[in-house]
């Protein structure tokens, strides 16, 4: 093999490597959790008081009147965000006085698990919440936990954000 041909091959391999998607550390962490556990989230460097608000597939706004809902929904509307079947997202709301300052949206491809924030879904599928675990629409990073479960008649792992 000529040196020029070898160099061109190496450049092509490096370009392919650069195009591969690196998973976010939170996505990797959630993907490694096993069903029927409640686990803490890894330290992502978010400041104290930061709220984490998951949006499920197809969900384009935060429900209810939770304190950050107005700010987050205005942020999502400005971005013209529409939920999608192949994506879930985590809205990170850092402690800021007003507006969309300090709001970040992390998008994740649907993986081997589904994130949801409706306890009714767990009840419908025959699952139960462990004692002390409380699902939350938004949860502070200091208290954030995730429930990992697998409903009856399903091969999908479900992840619920909440506190324990």
């Amino acid at each position: 093999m000529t040196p020029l041909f070898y160099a061109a091959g190496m450049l092509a391999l490096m370009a392919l490597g650069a195009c591969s998607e690196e998973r976010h550390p939170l996505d990797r962490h959630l993907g490694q959790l096993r069903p029927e556990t409640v686990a803490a989230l890894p330290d992502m460097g978010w400041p104290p008081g930061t709220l984490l608000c998951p949006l499920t597939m197809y969900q384009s706004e935060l429900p209810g009147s939770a304190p950050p809902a107005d700010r987050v929904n205005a942020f999502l509307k400005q971005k013209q965000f529409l939920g999608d079947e192949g994506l879930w997202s985590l809205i990170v709301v850092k402690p800021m006085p007003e507006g969309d300052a300090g709001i970040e949206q992390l998008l994740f491809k649907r993986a081997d698990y589904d994130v949801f924030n409706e306890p009714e879904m767990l009840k419908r599928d025959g699952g139960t919440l462990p004692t002390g675990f409380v699902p939350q629409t938004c949860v502070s990073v200091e208290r954030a936990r995730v429930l990992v479960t697998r409903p009856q008649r399903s091969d999908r792992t479900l992840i619920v954000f909440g506190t324990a």
Side-chain angles (χ1 to χ4, degrees):
M1 195 183 315
T2 67
L4 184 59
F5 197 108
Y6 178 77
M10 290 304 293
L11 283 174
L13 285 174
M14 288 175 20
L16 282 174
C19 292
S20 68
E21 290 186 32
E22 180 68 24
R23 287 175 66 190
H24 189 277
L26 179 62
D27 191 29
R28 282 195 309 269
H29 176 76
L30 295 175
Q32 294 172 353
L33 297 175
R34 297 291 150 238
E36 310 316 321
T37 60
V38 174
L41 296 177
D43 181 9
M44 294 279 129
W46 293 312
T50 298
L51 295 175
L52 305 176
C53 308
L55 294 177
T56 64
M57 297 181 301
Y58 299 117
Q59 190 176 1
S60 299
E61 64 180 16
L62 280 180
S65 59
D70 290 342
R71 285 179 57 207
V72 168
N73 291 339
F75 170 82
L76 293 169
K77 186 175 182 177
Q78 179 185 11
K79 286 182 65 173
Q80 298 179 341
F81 175 73
L82 294 175
D84 184 273
E85 179 178 343
L87 296 174
W88 70 276
S89 61
L90 184 65
I91 307 299
V92 179
V93 184
K94 296 176 183 164
M96 299 296 267
E98 58 187 57
D100 64 1
I103 298 178
E104 176 184 7
Q105 181 180 27
L106 303 174
L107 294 170
F108 299 98
K109 286 186 178 180
R110 187 174 182 202
D112 297 330
Y113 60 88
D114 292 324
V115 172
F116 75 97
N117 56 10
E118 299 170 7
E120 297 78 29
M121 183 178 178
L122 193 66
K123 291 176 188 171
R124 183 192 73 209
D125 291 333
T128 58
L129 293 174
T131 303
F133 183 82
V134 180
Q136 302 284 325
T137 301
C138 294
V139 62
S140 69
V141 293
E142 297 89 354
R143 300 188 59 220
R145 299 291 182 271
V146 289
L147 166 65
V148 185
T149 188
R150 182 168 288 142
Q152 297 172 3
R153 303 174 306 280
S154 176
D155 60 345
R156 301 287 299 165
T157 299
L158 299 179
I159 298 201
V160 183
F161 281 71
T163 57

